Amino acid sequence: MTTIQEVSKLAGVSVATVSRTLSMPDKVSPKTREKVHAAIAKTNYRPNVLARNFRTRKALAIVVLVPDIANSFFSRVIRGIEQAAQKKGYSVLLGDTQGLAEREYTYANMVKTSQADGIIQLHAHIPFENEADLSLPLVNACDCVRDAGIPTVQLDNAAAAKSMTEHLISLGHTRIAAIQGPSDSPITQDRLRGYQEALRENNLEVDTSLVGTGDFSLASGEAAARGLMTHPSRPTALFCFSDEMAFGAIHHIKSLGLSVPGDISVAGFDDISFAAYCDPPLTTISQPAEEFGTMAMSMLYDIINHAPPESLNHYLPHKLICRQSSGPVNPAR
Amino acid sequence: MTTIQEVSKLAGVSVATVSRTLSMPDKVSPKTREKVHAAIAKTNYRPNVLARNFRTRKALAIVVLVPDIANSFFSRVIRGIEQAAQKKGYSVLLGDTQGLAEREYTYANMVKTSQADGIIQLHAHIPFENEADLSLPLVNACDCVRDAGIPTVQLDNAAAAKSMTEHLISLGHTRIAAIQGPSDSPITQDRLRGYQEALRENNLEVDTSLVGTGDFSLASGEAAARGLMTHPSRPTALFCFSDEMAFGAIHHIKSLGLSVPGDISVAGFDDISFAAYCDPPLTTISQPAEEFGTMAMSMLYDIINHAPPESLNHYLPHKLICRQSSGPVNPAR
DNA sequence: CTGAAAGCGCTAACAC
DNA sequence: GTGTTAGCGCTTTCAG
């Protein structure tokens, strides 16, 4: 491997000059610049970035903590992060945590050991064992810890859930069930709140027996729907807090010989790519997944570089997408 | 930040001893070991991994080149890579390339600049500009460049496609269409070959007008199906080279008022999680996605550490999954 | 505009 | 077992 030494020797200049040519070319005379470039080309020199980062005390890398990279929503967020990071000269270290605190700590440690400059956490959990570590550069996106004073980028989940519920109400539904996510997750809580608010404001009963629980996955949606569909007074609409759970629910509903939306309207949340292609196409809330990533990266960048973030909590817009899985309540029933 | 210096001073030992305590504890007497650990705890010392890696000339990181992290198959492969890497003490640098050679080169450069020790490429393309770089540690997985002498881990795509085609033939189908991926991709070519072989061996006509082309995505499957369904002599079965394209195709077929598999059987490839949940559940080929990742990581690890890989080309098993989207040919037609 | 030299924090010979 | 010491390849004062 060629070093800066050898290049300097070949170019007949000092190592400092070679270094300058690379990082501050305008501080070097055109003549020497040329000589250096010639030597670099000849030796096929690549600066050792590890040495540089060590010397300058920055890793130019960030770590992304994600509960599950295979989740179709998170993977889009990460795509956004990666693109923004690349543009700013940072690389992305992937930390698939499976939701385990242990693994979060391990990855968060990379900041303390100078392997990374900051962390983007996509899960509602502080990835540190010690209070003191809260001073490390951290941005929480998507599902965010509440009132922890850490920078966040999120949806107004309550408003989104409320608008979806209002949509179902406007179709004439009065018994609207829901399948929530894990009840300890803030996004679940916010969506549930929005859903209940809409019911209350429309003088509809808030019936907790109409709320099932899943973990955002296909299988959990199917299981929760199985419970809900045996309800003595079956709902005519079902609002699932993720598209995957909605698919699982629809799968079960159809297996019962019922039709969507004929017998029951179903709505999801996320607007993943399959939503438009399933049968029937899914009414859902669209989230700007990539933007979560770019926004989080941009905030983290500012924090790492000691630029005061404009505001601690960023909210991204959602959109109600009405497709064919929701329809007017069937008077026949 | 605490350094090894300060720890050594506090413990009353040399820096070498501290270093040894951390990396070869059995070469240090229990007594001093204790002293060192006490000092470490007191100072809350974390070794600077950047300095260590620089000194030992290894990055303990690998870069993963993926055309699209948001692809539901690739994200699972990456999950496998991440898990295997973590176990071996390596971290994963994510390189979402969007299939652009430029970006592949940029990321591949991280090996030359000592930021990474090796590369896993999930796309059938050599990520180097110079022939000489082929000496860098590289493993090609999933879609692999043919006969390039680089280590690969892949499916026997021809055999898999052949078995699917035979399945459709066994159901009585004689006009079996296909939607292939990009025609320059080896996996497309192999699957096409397997499909055609099965037709030939069963004395069925190989009709190239029955082969549409997509890019593995939902939308492209829909578009290709649109073309195929206007064929003067409509096929009774359709083999799509990805599940996503199969979903797109089914979507279109249903929009025509036709039924699957009543009017036309549809099969996919990949067995993504949605395959079991769509309507009808999709007949497909299951691939061990995570294993592609762990296997690739394991091979790369051996290469990086100069252990001769047992064999250059690894083949992973596939499985034919028969669900309800394929059925006997309808005699009514 | 350029060079000399110090040193980032750590590991690994090499002595003792 | 432990300490001394020489760098790893680079950036960055500080002089000139």
Side-chain angles (χ1 to χ4, degrees):
Chain A
M1 217 185 52
T2 326
T3 72
I4 199 170
Q5 282 277 359
E6 309 173 47
V7 175
S8 78
K9 209 165 287 174
L10 186 65
V13 299
S14 72
V15 290
T17 300
V18 177
S19 178
R20 281 190 207 103
T21 308
L22 258 31
S23 50
M24 329 174 262
D26 39 304
K27 296 226 169 223
V28 174
S29 84
K31 245 187 192 161
T32 43
R33 218 186 297 160
E34 235 169 85
K35 279 194 294 186
V36 172
H37 280 137
I40 288 177
K42 194 161 190 176
T43 55
N44 198 18
Y45 166 69
R46 308 276 156 194
N48 182 322
V49 176
L50 225 48
R52 170 189 298 167
N53 290 350
F54 164 52
R55 180 58 234 255
T56 57
R57 331 173 86 87
K58 30 182 138 179
L60 291 182
I62 60 146
V63 6
V64 176
L65 265 28
V66 55
D68 182 12
I69 175 72
N71 173 295
S72 41
F73 179 71
F74 286 140
S75 58
R76 285 180 57 205
V77 177
I78 289 180
R79 187 165 59 183
I81 293 175
E82 199 266 358
Q83 266 156 27
Q86 162 108 343
K87 258 183 214 151
K88 303 222 183 240
Y90 280 73
S91 40
V92 173
L93 287 156
L94 186 66
D96 189 309
T97 64
Q98 306 295 328
L100 301 174
E102 282 276 323
R103 305 202 68 195
E104 290 184 359
Y105 301 153
T106 306
Y107 274 109
N109 242 311
M110 297 181 85
V111 176
K112 295 204 235 172
T113 57
S114 307
Q115 290 172 98
D117 300 317
I119 303 170
I120 293 178
Q121 161 70 300
L122 302 184
H123 184 55
H125 183 248
I126 293 178
F128 305 127
E129 289 183 277
N130 304 312
E131 187 84 13
D133 295 339
L134 278 169
S135 62
L136 301 176
L138 169 71
V139 170
N140 195 186
C142 301
D143 199 357
C144 302
V145 179
R146 235 189 303 254
D147 306 324
I150 55 183
T152 65
V153 33
Q154 53 193 317
L155 216 64
D156 184 340
N157 282 286
K162 190 171 176 183
S163 76
M164 177 59 85
T165 310
E166 284 167 347
H167 162 69
L168 295 170
I169 293 172
S170 76
L171 288 168
H173 297 280
T174 54
R175 290 192 60 69
I176 303 173
I179 299 181
Q180 65 175 0
S183 54
D184 60 348
S185 115
I187 58 174
T188 292
Q189 294 162 4
D190 289 344
R191 290 175 194 178
L192 190 66
R193 186 157 46 82
Y195 154 77
Q196 293 178 337
E197 253 178 52
L199 294 180
R200 275 198 211 92
E201 289 181 10
N202 287 273
N203 304 311
L204 293 175
E205 184 194 1
V206 173
D207 180 351
T208 55
S209 74
L210 244 35
V211 176
T213 299
D215 62 5
F216 297 123
S217 73
L218 286 163
S220 76
E222 181 178 31
R226 188 173 293 124
L228 255 18
M229 295 305 285
T230 62
H231 198 284
S233 162
R234 217 173 61 204
T236 63
L238 173 58
F239 176 20
C240 304
F241 290 5
S242 82
D243 283 354
E244 291 205 18
M245 294 199 295
F247 292 151
I250 290 175
H251 187 71
H252 176 69
I253 291 167
K254 285 185 173 180
S255 78
L256 257 31
L258 298 174
S259 98
V260 177
D263 293 301
I264 178 167
S265 287
V266 177
F269 204 113
D270 287 347
D271 195 27
I272 64 178
S273 58
F274 297 100
Y277 284 87
C278 69
D279 183 16
L282 192 67
T283 290
T284 188
I285 297 283
S286 128
Q287 301 196 60
E290 278 83 3
E291 252 184 79
F292 273 101
T294 51
M295 192 68 220
M297 181 62 217
S298 156
M299 289 173 78
L300 185 59
Y301 180 84
D302 286 347
I303 294 168
I304 290 172
N305 296 286
H306 307 102
E310 297 169 22
S311 67
L312 205 59
N313 301 299
H314 251 279
Y315 287 89
L316 259 29
H318 62 268
K319 231 165 44 195
L320 176 67
I321 309 282
C322 295
R323 297 205 182 91
Q324 288 77 57
S325 70
S326 61
V329 65
N330 190 340
R333 287 194 52 232
Chain B
M1 217 184 53
T2 326
T3 72
I4 199 170
Q5 281 278 359
E6 309 173 46
V7 174
S8 75
K9 210 165 286 174
L10 186 66
V13 299
S14 72
V15 292
T17 300
V18 177
S19 178
R20 280 190 208 103
T21 309
L22 258 32
S23 50
M24 330 174 262
D26 39 304
K27 296 229 168 218
V28 174
S29 84
K31 245 188 193 159
T32 43
R33 220 185 296 160
E34 236 171 86
K35 281 193 293 183
V36 171
H37 279 135
I40 287 177
K42 195 161 188 175
T43 54
N44 198 18
Y45 167 69
R46 307 278 155 192
N48 183 323
V49 176
L50 225 48
R52 172 189 297 166
N53 291 350
F54 164 52
R55 179 60 234 252
T56 58
R57 332 172 87 87
K58 29 181 137 180
L60 292 181
I62 60 145
V63 5
V64 176
L65 264 28
V66 55
D68 181 12
I69 176 71
N71 175 294
S72 42
F73 179 72
F74 286 139
S75 59
R76 285 180 57 205
V77 177
I78 288 180
R79 186 165 60 183
I81 293 175
E82 198 268 356
Q83 267 158 27
Q86 162 109 345
K87 256 182 217 153
K88 303 222 182 235
Y90 280 73
S91 41
V92 173
L93 287 155
L94 186 67
D96 189 310
T97 63
Q98 306 294 329
L100 301 175
E102 283 274 324
R103 304 202 68 195
E104 291 184 357
Y105 301 152
T106 306
Y107 274 109
N109 243 311
M110 297 181 84
V111 176
K112 295 203 235 173
T113 59
S114 307
Q115 291 173 97
D117 300 318
I119 303 170
I120 294 178
Q121 161 71 301
L122 303 183
H123 184 56
H125 183 248
I126 293 177
F128 305 127
E129 288 183 277
N130 304 312
E131 187 82 14
D133 296 338
L134 277 169
S135 62
L136 301 176
L138 168 70
V139 170
N140 194 185
C142 301
D143 199 357
C144 303
V145 180
R146 237 189 302 255
D147 306 323
I150 55 184
T152 64
V153 32
Q154 54 194 316
L155 214 67
D156 185 341
N157 283 285
K162 191 172 175 183
S163 76
M164 176 59 85
T165 311
E166 284 166 347
H167 162 70
L168 295 170
I169 294 172
S170 76
L171 289 168
H173 296 281
T174 54
R175 291 192 59 71
I176 303 173
I179 299 181
Q180 65 173 1
S183 54
D184 60 349
S185 115
I187 58 175
T188 292
Q189 294 162 4
D190 289 345
R191 291 175 193 178
L192 190 68
R193 186 158 45 83
Y195 153 79
Q196 293 178 338
E197 252 177 54
L199 294 180
R200 275 198 211 92
E201 288 180 11
N202 286 274
N203 303 311
L204 294 175
E205 184 194 2
V206 173
D207 181 352
T208 55
S209 73
L210 245 34
V211 177
T213 300
D215 61 6
F216 296 123
S217 73
L218 286 163
S220 76
E222 181 178 32
R226 187 173 294 124
L228 254 19
M229 295 304 285
T230 61
H231 198 282
S233 161
R234 219 173 58 203
T236 63
L238 173 58
F239 176 20
C240 303
F241 289 6
S242 82
D243 284 354
E244 292 205 19
M245 292 199 296
F247 292 151
I250 290 174
H251 187 72
H252 176 69
I253 290 167
K254 285 185 173 180
S255 78
L256 256 31
L258 298 174
S259 98
V260 177
D263 292 301
I264 178 167
S265 287
V266 177
F269 204 114
D270 288 345
D271 195 27
I272 64 178
S273 57
F274 298 99
Y277 285 87
C278 70
D279 182 17
L282 193 67
T283 290
T284 187
I285 297 283
S286 126
Q287 301 196 62
E290 279 82 3
E291 252 184 79
F292 271 102
T294 51
M295 190 70 221
M297 182 62 216
S298 155
M299 290 173 77
L300 185 59
Y301 180 85
D302 287 346
I303 295 169
I304 290 172
N305 297 287
H306 307 102
E310 298 169 22
S311 68
L312 205 60
N313 301 299
H314 251 279
Y315 286 89
L316 261 29
H318 62 268
K319 230 165 44 197
L320 177 66
I321 309 282
C322 295
R323 298 204 183 90
Q324 288 77 57
S325 70
S326 60
V329 66
N330 190 340
R333 288 194 53 231

